[in-house]
Amino acid sequence: LKDKLEQAVAPEDSLNYLIQLTMAYQYKARHKGIQYGRKAMSLGERINDSQLLSFANTALGNVYYEKGEFGLALEAYSHALNRCIIEYDNRFVASCLNNIGKAYRELGFYSLANEKFEQAIEFQNKENDNSGLANSYLNLGVSLFKMKDYDQAMQSFNTVLDISFDELDPLIRATTFKNVGNIFLQRGEYPMATEFYNRALRIYERLDDQKGLASIYNRLGLVNKLMAEYPGALEKFVQAAEIYSRQQNQKRLAKTYLFIAEIKTILNLQEESAQYIN
């Protein structure tokens, strides 16, 4: 991409490559993603291409979002929405609204987040966009879950799962299963939580989605812990830690090590627990 960027003649081509480079650094070396994203926005402003500038803002917003800088992500996503409304592409407008909603959700403004998700749903209904609707209802359900409105959250998740198998992205299906499991976990219905976590697990295994697998292992470990099935909990937490270690995801690895340390303490393995805490 860098070579293509250097060789590009048309400014639109340069902008496209800058956007792709921003996306390429979304998960690693995010400072580079931010640098390319800012260059993309600057070039987009100069050539006044509303659509490409929307894409550039969205790509930059995604980098900020993954970096945990949700205020800056919200600003970038809002710029993207303002630009794409000029073109008025219902599906892209809905995508921007979803992004803004997710940023609001991470900032704790759940009512504002829900408003954006519901607006996205209106646009997607106009387009009969079932794939987009699934994403919006999933986002809305997660927000309602964070508000502890479990009944409404379950209703949103069921709406996702009611979409036909062929039209529902398997990753969204797996994530929805996981979130349904979270509701049952909160309600203390551990067998049902396990059932839905295992449904998600099977899809993540088929997709070889390591991040999803690690998340489910931690969830299953938590269920085992709450049911006082400590060896099973330890096994699941260790499986999650192995994945996070390979991915060099230090934040999630540290959290999982604390889970392991807690189980080791319960099993009276104090020295091993201290090692994980350290």
Side-chain angles (χ1 to χ4, degrees):
L1 285 173
K2 290 177 183 176
D3 290 341
K4 290 179 179 178
L5 176 62
E6 291 178 1
Q7 296 165 12
V9 176
E12 290 80 7
D13 290 338
S14 295
L15 181 49
N16 266 312
Y17 292 131
L18 285 169
I19 292 169
Q20 290 180 58
L21 281 163
T22 304
M23 295 166 62
Y25 287 112
Q26 180 173 334
Y27 298 107
K28 289 188 177 182
R30 296 187 185 104
H31 65 285
K32 292 184 179 179
I34 292 170
Q35 290 172 0
Y36 283 115
R38 288 173 176 168
K39 289 179 181 178
M41 288 198 337
S42 177
L43 180 55
E45 291 282 1
R46 287 206 304 273
I47 66 177
N48 198 29
D49 187 314
S50 293
Q51 188 177 54
L52 286 176
L53 192 53
S54 290
F55 294 159
N57 275 287
T58 298
L60 180 59
N62 289 341
V63 179
Y64 282 131
Y65 186 91
E66 292 298 329
K67 198 169 183 282
E69 297 184 3
F70 302 116
L72 291 172
L74 178 60
E75 183 180 347
Y77 290 147
S78 298
H79 287 316
L81 178 62
N82 291 336
R83 283 290 180 169
C84 73
I85 282 177
I86 297 172
E87 300 290 333
Y88 207 73
D89 179 327
N90 279 346
R91 295 192 182 209
F92 193 69
V93 168
S95 175
C96 290
L97 288 166
N98 262 310
N99 287 333
I100 291 171
K102 289 196 299 182
Y104 275 134
R105 188 177 68 201
E106 292 295 337
L107 291 167
F109 300 124
Y110 300 125
S111 294
L112 286 172
N114 295 350
E115 180 183 314
K116 298 304 177 186
F117 297 142
E118 287 164 358
Q119 288 173 358
I121 288 168
E122 289 179 17
F123 281 102
Q124 287 154 344
N125 273 323
K126 293 176 185 177
E127 298 293 324
N128 293 317
D129 179 9
N130 282 337
S131 177
L133 283 167
N135 187 47
S136 295
Y137 276 112
L138 174 57
N139 282 327
L140 179 60
V142 171
S143 184
L144 290 164
F145 177 85
K146 288 179 177 291
M147 296 173 72
K148 303 186 187 304
D149 190 344
Y150 301 130
D151 289 341
Q152 288 296 315
M154 185 71 87
Q155 187 173 326
S156 285
F157 296 143
N158 282 334
T159 301
V160 176
L161 297 174
D162 284 341
I163 293 172
S164 68
F165 187 86
D166 292 339
E167 293 184 281
L168 185 56
D169 180 274
L171 186 57
I172 289 181
R173 184 180 295 278
T175 305
T176 306
F177 282 150
K178 180 177 77 172
N179 280 284
V180 171
N182 290 343
I183 292 177
F184 283 120
L185 181 65
Q186 287 295 323
R187 290 175 172 171
E189 299 180 39
Y190 303 137
M192 289 298 294
T194 301
E195 168 65 24
F196 278 91
Y197 288 147
N198 280 326
R199 291 186 190 185
L201 181 69
R202 288 192 289 270
I203 297 175
Y204 286 134
E205 285 177 337
R206 191 172 72 246
L207 298 175
D208 193 27
D209 185 321
Q210 295 296 303
K211 182 179 177 182
L213 284 172
S215 174
I216 290 295
Y217 287 142
N218 267 338
R219 296 278 92 194
L220 287 169
L222 184 56
V223 172
N224 287 145
K225 187 190 84 168
L226 291 169
M227 295 178 70
E229 296 172 352
Y230 301 123
L234 184 60
E235 179 185 353
K236 292 295 186 294
F237 291 144
V238 168
Q239 286 176 297
E242 287 173 352
I243 293 174
Y244 289 137
S245 180
R246 289 198 300 270
Q247 293 181 334
Q248 298 182 337
N249 189 329
Q250 299 300 309
K251 182 177 179 180
R252 293 189 183 275
L253 180 59
K255 185 175 181 179
T256 305
Y257 278 162
L258 287 176
F259 291 157
I260 294 172
E262 184 179 4
I263 300 299
K264 294 279 189 181
T265 299
I266 292 170
L267 295 173
N268 292 317
L269 301 171
Q270 312 297 349
E271 291 185 9
E272 293 181 22
S273 175
Q275 290 174 4
Y276 277 99
I277 292 171
N278 288 334

